[in-house]
Amino acid sequence: MKAQSLVSGFSSNPTTPSIPNTKKSFFQTPTPPSSAYFSQSRKWVSFKIQHSAPQRVVWSNKQNGVEEAKDGTSNGNDLENGVRRKKLAVFVSGGGSNFRSIHEASLGGSVHGDIVVLVTNKRGCGGSVYARDNGIPVVLFPKTKDEPDGLAPNDLVAELRKFEVDFVLLAGYLKLIPVELIRAYPRSILNIHPSLLPAFGGKGYYGMKVHKAVIASGARYSGPTIHFVDEHYDTGRILAQSVVPVHAKDTAEELAARVLQEEHRLYVEVAAALCEERIIWREDGVPLIQSKENPSEYR
């Protein structure tokens, strides 16, 4: 899936916090194979997004590729530690299990944001059904022979602007992300991939194809990667990964189920950090997640 980065608007005067020389694994796994740490002071870039005051919108009917729904989301005015509640757009093509996990976490309070719109290329997919059942508007993209009501790229950007979307989360969306969207939302689009990138990524690596390739390679570990979206397949900056063991007698389906379970946990964790403005950009362009419990720690 195409990939990019996260938020426009850098701090013009980046600070240089001192990073303690304490060991902390970049991966989360019962038996991590390795650890990596930062012990030097480096320059970091933090950011906050400025938005106009959010307004509540009541949706109804269907028009121009947008299936609207009645209410169902927060008004976005909630503040937590001075941070405004964020508005999220999620893109899906299938059942949308990661979409459901993030939505449930939002309703439960562990993600300081609301999913205000779902974008899909398949109006009848499981993710679309779940969205409609939960009062989340559905947008069809792109316009195709099978989906003539789908939006054009510029219309999609305009629609997301109407919803005042802060961040875009790709969760099993199998269509190319248009350059218009990437440019409209710099450093604001994330994708999840079911392997430890850069391994088993790129064009043609999706779904069960990834897990079959992992098993065929003899790799002992796999797991999900969450990365920013740029204009190429699976090449955006990596934000988070989690290691899952590959068992000797695994089938692709068994490995897929194990990785998917970890995807649900990891994407919720990253969405929470995103909405709480805890993504920090190192001066060399590497994004890290700031610990909520200990702000001097990053991973």
Side-chain angles (χ1 to χ4, degrees):
M1 187 56 57
K2 289 195 162 184
Q4 170 76 299
S5 298
L6 208 136
V7 170
S8 58
F10 287 44
S11 168
S12 59
N13 296 302
T15 58
T16 310
S18 176
I19 308 302
N21 188 19
T22 56
K23 297 198 170 186
K24 184 176 178 70
S25 172
F26 277 107
F27 301 112
Q28 294 197 6
T29 176
T31 54
S34 63
S35 298
Y37 316 93
F38 297 100
S39 59
Q40 303 178 27
S41 292
R42 311 194 73 142
K43 289 186 178 179
W44 308 76
V45 178
S46 181
F47 55 79
K48 290 186 179 180
I49 316 172
Q50 301 298 325
H51 297 276
S52 58
Q55 299 178 348
R56 196 177 190 103
V57 181
V58 179
W59 310 100
S60 61
N61 303 324
K62 172 188 171 183
Q63 184 175 346
N64 298 328
V66 182
E67 298 180 8
E68 300 174 342
K70 293 280 189 181
D71 205 65
T73 61
S74 163
N75 61 12
N77 287 321
D78 316 45
L79 290 178
E80 182 176 276
N81 297 324
V83 177
R84 179 184 57 79
R85 196 170 178 87
K86 301 301 187 291
K87 295 185 178 183
L88 310 174
V90 178
F91 286 43
V92 305
S93 290
S97 63
N98 276 304
F99 159 47
R100 299 181 191 209
S101 294
I102 296 168
H103 181 245
E104 289 169 0
S106 170
L107 296 178
S110 57
V111 171
H112 191 57
D114 298 300
I115 299 175
V116 297
V117 61
L118 180 85
V119 178
T120 183
N121 61 306
K122 297 181 179 179
R123 73 173 72 223
C125 71
S128 299
V129 173
Y130 178 85
R132 295 186 193 100
D133 289 346
N134 285 273
I136 300 172
V138 176
V139 171
L140 293 174
F141 176 82
K143 183 176 183 178
T144 63
K145 190 174 182 180
D146 293 333
E147 293 289 0
D149 293 331
L151 299 181
N154 286 327
D155 293 331
L156 174 63
V157 171
E159 200 63 41
L160 296 185
R161 295 296 193 204
K162 290 179 184 178
F163 285 97
E164 298 179 333
V165 167
D166 296 302
F167 299 111
V168 174
L169 307 179
L170 310 183
Y173 184 72
L174 301 181
K175 291 292 184 179
L176 297 178
I177 299 303
V179 67
E180 292 90 343
L181 182 61
I182 292 172
R183 291 173 180 170
Y185 284 88
R187 290 190 171 184
S188 301
I189 307 176
L190 288 177
N191 180 51
I192 190 163
H193 184 78
S195 74
L196 295 174
L197 292 175
F200 310 104
K203 190 173 183 179
Y205 279 103
Y206 61 89
M208 206 58 66
K209 293 182 179 180
V210 173
H211 305 297
K212 289 179 179 179
V214 169
I215 290 174
S217 75
R220 293 333 193 239
Y221 294 95
S222 189
T225 296
I226 295 176
H227 63 91
F228 286 103
V229 175
D230 61 19
E231 297 181 10
H232 305 283
Y233 285 103
D234 300 328
T235 59
R237 290 291 191 173
I238 292 172
L239 179 59
Q241 293 181 311
S242 186
V243 174
V244 170
V246 180
H247 299 155
K249 295 184 179 180
D250 264 345
T251 64
E253 290 75 16
E254 289 169 338
L255 178 58
R258 197 176 307 119
V259 171
L260 184 60
Q261 183 177 7
E262 194 61 18
E263 286 182 28
H264 295 164
R265 184 199 65 77
L266 187 64
Y267 220 165
V268 166
E269 179 182 302
V270 169
L274 194 65
C275 292
E276 293 166 10
E277 300 178 3
R278 291 189 288 109
I279 308 302
I280 305 297
W281 289 83
R282 213 166 62 190
E283 66 173 348
D284 60 357
V286 173
L288 300 175
I289 297 176
Q290 185 178 43
S291 169
K292 186 173 184 177
E293 293 74 22
N294 188 347
S296 64
E297 293 185 359
Y298 305 82
R299 72 174 184 86

